[in-house]
Each structure stands twice: as structure tokens, then as C-alpha cells.
Amino acid sequence: MNPHPHHLNATGPRPLTPTDPHRVVATLGPEGTDAHCEALRHFGDVLLAASFELAVQAALAGGCHAMVAAGFVERRSPGGEVSDLWVDLHFRHLGKLELVGLWEAPTKPMCLAVPPAVQAPRTVALHPATAVFADRYARGADRHYVDAKPLAVRQVLDGRAEGCIGSVDVVRQAGLAVLHEFRPTMVWCLYRPVNYPIQGD
């Protein structure tokens, strides 16, 4: 498996020319997301995009697979209005994508994390899909929504939030303290373009 995944431009996917599309999947980055780690378990070449929508566009452009979390939600900042979610993506690409795999798997361990000097964060950066954990462990904290958990950790390091919901490995690497740890699962959807012949099928 390729430990150095390709990155897709945030403004749109680049054309792909995979030699073996069975071994290529596009999904949500940056490095360290649950999507990235789960994709590496199943594919040899992982293309990381700034959103699941851009990952799907990459799959359509290049004839490879796209892996999408069934629980994904995107929210606009600062208002927090929902801007995209799995069911919209699924219906939006009706006739262009087909679902070829569906499974449940543990995510990386997650946590509420803070700088060592903070005990009760007043602001929490988080991916919208993890909002239930902010309800449980940081009730009353103002929320800053981001598109991936590693970006939530970055907000704490940049001083834009006092706490975050992040993956334990990324949090510890950043030098943050873990206040509460939890181990959820996620359901993953694997798509491929409709009527796009992939060699070996």
C-alpha cells in the first residue's frame, strides 16, 4: 500500500490515469482522517480530496472508486448551516455512480482534547458528524465547524479554539491533552462510476 497518498486540488480533481483502478480510491483528506486510514486498509493508492464531493468528482473523472462515510455532514461557518450530507451526495450523483460496497468499521479512537493548561474549553472545533460528542463532553461550548478532524486539531494549535474533537493519535502528536476518549464506528460506502468498465470486472 502507498503510504504517501496523492492529494487533490481543493478547487477540483485532476484527471487520473491509474494503471489498476481496482487499487485506487478517492476519499476525504487530509492525511490522518478516518477515511484516509480506512481507505489504506483496502486500497493500494489513496487520493485525498478536500471534501467527499471532490472525491466523487475525482472518481467520475478518472474511473476509480470513491469511498464516502455514510455519516458525513458538512456545515458552513460561522452559522453552522448544513451545506452537504451523504444522502444529498448519493442522490445528486444518481445515474452516475453505483454503490458496490457497504460496511461498518471502527474509527480511530476519538477524544475531546485541549492544550495542557485548559480544563473546560469554551470553544470547540469539530467535524459536524462528531457533534454528538460535543453535546456529551463539551456542552455549552461554542462550536467551530471544520471539514475534517485533523483541521479541528489545527484550529486549537492556531489558537482559534480552546478544544477540539479529534483522533487520539493526531491529538497526541500535536501535544494536546486528552480529556475524554471514545471509540465509535462508521459505515462506509464504496462507489464506482456507472458504465465505466474497470479492467478485471
Side-chain angles (χ1 to χ4, degrees):
M1 293 186 180
N2 181 7
H4 304 293
H6 300 293
H7 291 266
L8 301 175
N9 191 303
T11 60
R14 59 175 172 78
L16 308 178
T17 55
T19 56
D20 182 1
H22 280 294
R23 295 184 54 77
V24 180
V25 67
T27 195
L28 180 69
E31 292 185 33
T33 62
D34 288 308
H36 174 210
C37 293
E38 185 65 19
L40 286 173
R41 292 182 58 228
H42 303 281
F43 288 84
D45 200 0
V46 179
L47 307 169
L48 296 179
S51 68
F52 282 118
E53 172 61 27
L54 289 178
V56 165
Q57 290 181 26
L60 290 170
C64 68
H65 292 89
M67 195 185 78
V68 178
F72 101 83
V73 180
E74 291 178 6
R75 292 183 182 270
R76 296 185 182 93
S77 291
E81 300 87 357
V82 172
S83 58
D84 204 7
L85 64 165
W86 171 81
V87 68
D88 287 352
L89 180 147
H90 183 77
F91 288 154
R92 187 162 60 242
H93 295 287
L94 183 67
K96 295 184 286 184
L97 290 175
E98 61 181 344
L99 186 66
V100 295
L102 183 71
W103 68 95
E104 181 185 22
T107 67
K108 297 194 296 181
M110 297 185 199
C111 64
L112 172 65
V114 295
V118 175
Q119 293 185 349
R122 295 169 295 179
T123 54
V124 174
L126 69 158
H127 185 280
T130 63
V132 66
F133 301 118
D135 293 340
R136 184 176 301 172
Y137 299 114
R139 187 181 301 274
D142 291 338
R143 298 181 184 186
H144 299 173
Y145 292 108
V146 296
D147 291 334
K149 293 197 301 296
L151 302 179
V153 175
R154 173 52 55 188
Q155 287 226 342
V156 177
L157 296 179
D158 291 345
R160 291 180 284 168
E162 292 186 353
C164 64
I165 303 294
S167 297
V168 170
D169 60 337
V170 177
V171 160
R172 287 187 171 147
Q173 186 176 14
L176 302 180
V178 174
L179 292 184
H180 301 280
E181 183 174 334
F182 32 95
R183 296 171 179 263
T185 63
M186 179 52 64
V187 174
W188 298 98
C189 303
L190 186 67
Y191 292 94
R192 69 178 176 187
V194 171
N195 298 325
Y196 194 105
I198 296 180
Q199 294 180 356
D201 283 356

